[in-house]
Amino acid sequence: MEHELGRSAPTHKRWDATIAPAVRVQPGDVVHFATREVSDGAITRHSTAPDLAGVVLEDMYPLAGPVHVEGAEPGDALAVEVLQLRTGDWGWAAILPGAGLLPAGEFTEPYLRILELRDRTTTPLCDGVEIPIEPFLGTMGVTPAGARDVPVPPPHTGGGNIDCRHLTAGSRLLLPVFEPGALFSAGDAHAAQGDGEVAITGIECDMAFSLRFDLIKDARIPAPQMSRGPGSLTPRVDGGGWYATFGVEPDLMEASRAAVRAMIEHLVTQRGLTREDAYVLCSLAGDLKITEVVDAPNWMVGCYMPDAVFTR
Amino acid sequence: MEHELGRSAPTHKRWDATIAPAVRVQPGDVVHFATREVSDGAITRHSTAPDLAGVVLEDMYPLAGPVHVEGAEPGDALAVEVLQLRTGDWGWAAILPGAGLLPAGEFTEPYLRILELRDRTTTPLCDGVEIPIEPFLGTMGVTPAGARDVPVPPPHTGGGNIDCRHLTAGSRLLLPVFEPGALFSAGDAHAAQGDGEVAITGIECDMAFSLRFDLIKDARIPAPQMSRGPGSLTPRVDGGGWYATFGVEPDLMEASRAAVRAMIEHLVTQRGLTREDAYVLCSLAGDLKITEVVDAPNWMVGCYMPDAVFTR
């Protein structure tokens, strides 16, 4: 059976087990959703950087749902098949000083880019840089056990704001169920994002999306898991090569920062980007990989940038 | 010009700026090397798990070199082009309790697998699992500034034991130069390894390899960087799909551990592997990615396993 939770359906901005389900579905059912971009309208296609000051965290993350899946019980896994994702006509990406991986002292001013998405397979970030559009939902999750007024931004073991760029159409997400009915919600759509989402945004956009729900009884998974069908995890950029910068530090977070700083410096000196566009590009198309995590006391994290984003 | 540092050439097991160069080369020169696997002969193709007790860390990591590159000065980058890599006939992979990502209490016994490499493109790890052979050098580095008797295992900003699986033939590694002549050494070859090398070994093997050296004057890079030509970073496994398990924790190291634990559990329950083979498989073919590192206070790390390693 198919259900509709369109743009006029109510959204919610907290994880809370007392929120009445927006729809009740059977395992195997499909729900068609539509959500606004993560600022819920505070940023428009005409916004400029000063408008970022008006974005209030508590008013962000409008989520569609909760979806109550009949028969879902704690200990089960909710299987969410991503059937279709259709972005809105435009999106935004930003630097919010202090909110990303790099400290506020390194990027002191808000920075905003509006990106066109309509009828496109790539979108220009700046002169000479085209970002492949690969939509996914930044937030898909079940309601945490007994949740009351829990903020959406931190991901949890039931998923939520997981920002996993590989959850594109055709993929399948498994989530542990904590509340009867699972109480699944989703939103925070991205038209593109690199592993890490280092500057704190992907290309934030409206999305119409269709998900199929199923149950795996008594699966007892500890946190989200996912599967995808055959093919590279980076199909849109494999036509080009790669450049990677590494951080070598006794802390994975510091190693990640060092890798991103080195990539920003590389993009500025070798590709002519501004520092701001370089940081945003890392967030939209750079992938953080843990290269080595066992040769104490130093770990190594790489920031991998595909050459395919550069048009010259 | 081409140079030879074959298996009879002396090796060294420390970073030390006082070690006499094994060869002096000009920028543009090629050196043909051969190194023994990382235990330097303590493990043989006939070894069994109890023999791991005889492996002494100080006697490991026989490195070929140092290569003195004429004209290299602090502030330059040494460019190392990986021209050719040819594994020995066999390799080994192990669990050394307490030495990998997971604490000693979770894997209490040494575990050893000998893997055949000769005339193969994949090698069986256990029943139903074939590891694609994708050779690279676990250790390539320049001598740290003023180094005296510095152990090889921890990587440093001049590289060394970086265990970057993407440095296959055709790739190019850039290393900051700290000592005049760069004093480059390499070894610790792997026939395969996943991002993270979580159980602390790849497929450890002998290797014959050819590297071309060049200089980028005054490049002032802070740590290793690399580039590769066009194509997926995982060409050997893209014919199949992917399964990923995630850890969601307020610490990236703990998130990595949670992701690997979940993958081991998945491989045991869904694929029928022993816990030991599952952990080793994570080390040889699982890739750690940082999915999200900005949604405080929880970060998310994924362990990605390619379906292509499973033959049934």
Side-chain angles (χ1 to χ4, degrees):
Chain A
M1 193 172 160
E2 306 203 2
H3 310 261
E4 182 95 21
L5 279 183
R7 280 195 63 136
S8 57
T11 56
H12 61 98
K13 296 176 177 176
R14 295 290 186 280
W15 294 112
D16 193 316
T18 67
I19 299 174
V23 62
R24 288 174 178 270
V25 309
Q26 296 291 330
D29 284 3
V30 171
V31 181
H32 305 288
F33 303 83
T35 53
R36 292 177 82 159
E37 46 71 40
V38 71
S39 83
D40 202 15
I43 298 298
T44 73
R45 68 188 309 158
H46 308 294
S47 293
T48 57
D51 296 321
L52 289 166
V55 177
V56 179
L57 191 60
E58 286 67 31
D59 293 335
M60 297 178 72
Y61 291 91
L63 301 184
V67 176
H68 178 108
V69 182
E70 299 292 346
E73 295 172 294
D76 297 345
L78 178 67
V80 184
E81 197 180 339
V82 181
L83 300 178
Q84 196 178 3
L85 298 160
R86 201 169 64 250
T87 71
D89 289 348
W90 65 280
W92 60 276
I95 298 171
L96 299 164
L101 177 63
L102 299 180
E106 296 182 40
F107 286 89
T108 56
E109 300 301 320
Y111 185 74
L112 178 67
R113 303 292 301 202
I114 304 296
L115 297 106
E116 295 299 323
L117 301 175
R118 186 172 180 173
D119 298 332
R120 288 168 179 271
T121 58
T122 68
T123 183
L125 172 67
C126 56
D127 189 34
V129 176
E130 288 276 337
I131 309 291
I133 297 173
E134 289 188 281
F136 69 98
L137 296 162
T139 300
M140 288 192 274
V142 299
T143 302
R148 295 290 182 278
D149 201 31
V150 173
V152 171
H156 51 84
T157 54
N161 189 20
I162 57 180
D163 288 323
C164 173
R165 61 165 293 187
H166 305 293
L167 287 167
T168 49
S171 64
R172 185 168 181 256
L173 176 66
L174 299 184
L175 299 170
V177 172
F178 299 116
E179 285 284 333
L183 307 179
F184 171 92
S185 298
D188 177 29
H190 295 163
Q193 183 212 292
D195 270 324
E197 200 193 30
V198 295
I200 213 175
T201 80
I203 299 179
E204 308 295 326
C205 65
D206 294 358
M207 191 83 81
F209 55 99
S210 302
L211 306 176
R212 179 185 287 126
F213 296 93
D214 232 316
L215 287 178
I216 304 175
K217 295 302 290 180
D218 202 33
R220 302 202 175 272
I221 58 173
Q225 304 189 351
M226 67 156 287
S227 59
R228 278 169 66 109
S232 163
L233 291 170
T234 52
R236 294 293 310 282
V237 294
D238 288 343
W242 298 84
Y243 198 88
T245 54
F246 297 95
V248 187
E249 299 286 341
D251 174 82
L252 285 169
M253 185 63 82
E254 285 307 319
S256 303
R257 290 193 177 112
V260 171
R261 283 187 191 113
M263 181 55 78
I264 291 170
E265 177 72 11
H266 171 78
L267 294 170
V268 169
T269 60
Q270 304 300 313
R271 296 281 188 178
L273 271 65
T274 65
R275 284 186 75 238
E276 289 72 22
D277 285 335
Y279 190 23
V280 172
L281 178 57
C282 288
S283 200
L284 300 185
D287 286 327
L288 292 186
K289 300 179 196 293
I290 299 179
T291 305
E292 173 279 302
V293 69
V294 291
D295 297 316
N298 292 338
W299 329 124
M300 188 156 120
V301 173
C303 177
Y304 284 66
M305 185 62 64
D307 292 342
V309 300
F310 302 107
T311 59
R312 55 173 166 79
Chain B
M1 194 171 162
E2 305 203 1
H3 310 263
E4 184 94 19
L5 279 183
R7 279 194 65 135
S8 58
T11 56
H12 62 98
K13 295 177 178 174
R14 296 291 184 283
W15 293 112
D16 194 317
T18 67
I19 298 174
V23 61
R24 288 175 177 268
V25 310
Q26 296 290 330
D29 283 3
V30 172
V31 180
H32 305 288
F33 303 83
T35 53
R36 291 177 82 159
E37 46 71 41
V38 71
S39 83
D40 203 15
I43 298 298
T44 73
R45 68 186 312 158
H46 308 294
S47 294
T48 57
D51 297 321
L52 289 166
V55 177
V56 179
L57 191 60
E58 287 67 32
D59 293 336
M60 297 179 71
Y61 291 92
L63 301 184
V67 177
H68 178 108
V69 181
E70 299 290 348
E73 294 174 294
D76 297 345
L78 178 67
V80 183
E81 197 180 338
V82 181
L83 300 178
Q84 198 178 1
L85 298 161
R86 203 170 61 249
T87 71
D89 289 349
W90 65 281
W92 60 276
I95 298 172
L96 299 164
L101 177 63
L102 298 180
E106 295 182 41
F107 286 89
T108 56
E109 300 301 320
Y111 185 74
L112 179 67
R113 301 294 300 201
I114 304 295
L115 297 106
E116 295 299 324
L117 302 176
R118 187 173 180 173
D119 298 332
R120 288 170 178 270
T121 58
T122 68
T123 183
L125 172 66
C126 56
D127 188 35
V129 176
E130 289 275 338
I131 310 290
I133 297 173
E134 289 188 281
F136 69 96
L137 296 162
T139 300
M140 289 192 272
V142 299
T143 303
R148 296 287 182 279
D149 201 32
V150 173
V152 171
H156 51 84
T157 54
N161 189 20
I162 56 181
D163 288 324
C164 173
R165 63 164 293 188
H166 305 292
L167 287 166
T168 50
S171 64
R172 185 168 181 256
L173 176 64
L174 300 184
L175 298 170
V177 172
F178 299 116
E179 285 283 333
L183 307 179
F184 171 92
S185 298
D188 177 28
H190 295 164
Q193 182 212 292
D195 271 323
E197 200 194 27
V198 295
I200 213 174
T201 78
I203 299 178
E204 309 294 327
C205 66
D206 293 357
M207 190 84 80
F209 54 99
S210 302
L211 306 177
R212 178 185 286 126
F213 297 93
D214 232 316
L215 287 177
I216 304 174
K217 296 301 289 180
D218 202 33
R220 302 202 175 274
I221 59 173
Q225 303 189 353
M226 68 155 288
S227 59
R228 279 169 65 110
S232 163
L233 291 169
T234 52
R236 294 294 311 282
V237 294
D238 289 342
W242 298 83
Y243 198 88
T245 54
F246 297 95
V248 186
E249 299 286 341
D251 174 83
L252 285 169
M253 184 64 81
E254 285 306 320
S256 302
R257 290 192 177 112
V260 170
R261 283 186 191 114
M263 181 55 78
I264 291 170
E265 177 73 10
H266 171 78
L267 294 170
V268 168
T269 60
Q270 304 300 311
R271 295 281 187 179
L273 272 64
T274 66
R275 285 187 75 238
E276 289 72 21
D277 284 336
Y279 191 21
V280 172
L281 177 57
C282 288
S283 201
L284 300 186
D287 287 326
L288 292 186
K289 300 178 195 296
I290 299 179
T291 306
E292 172 280 303
V293 68
V294 291
D295 296 316
N298 292 338
W299 328 124
M300 187 157 121
V301 173
C303 177
Y304 284 67
M305 185 62 64
D307 293 340
V309 301
F310 303 106
T311 59
R312 55 174 166 79

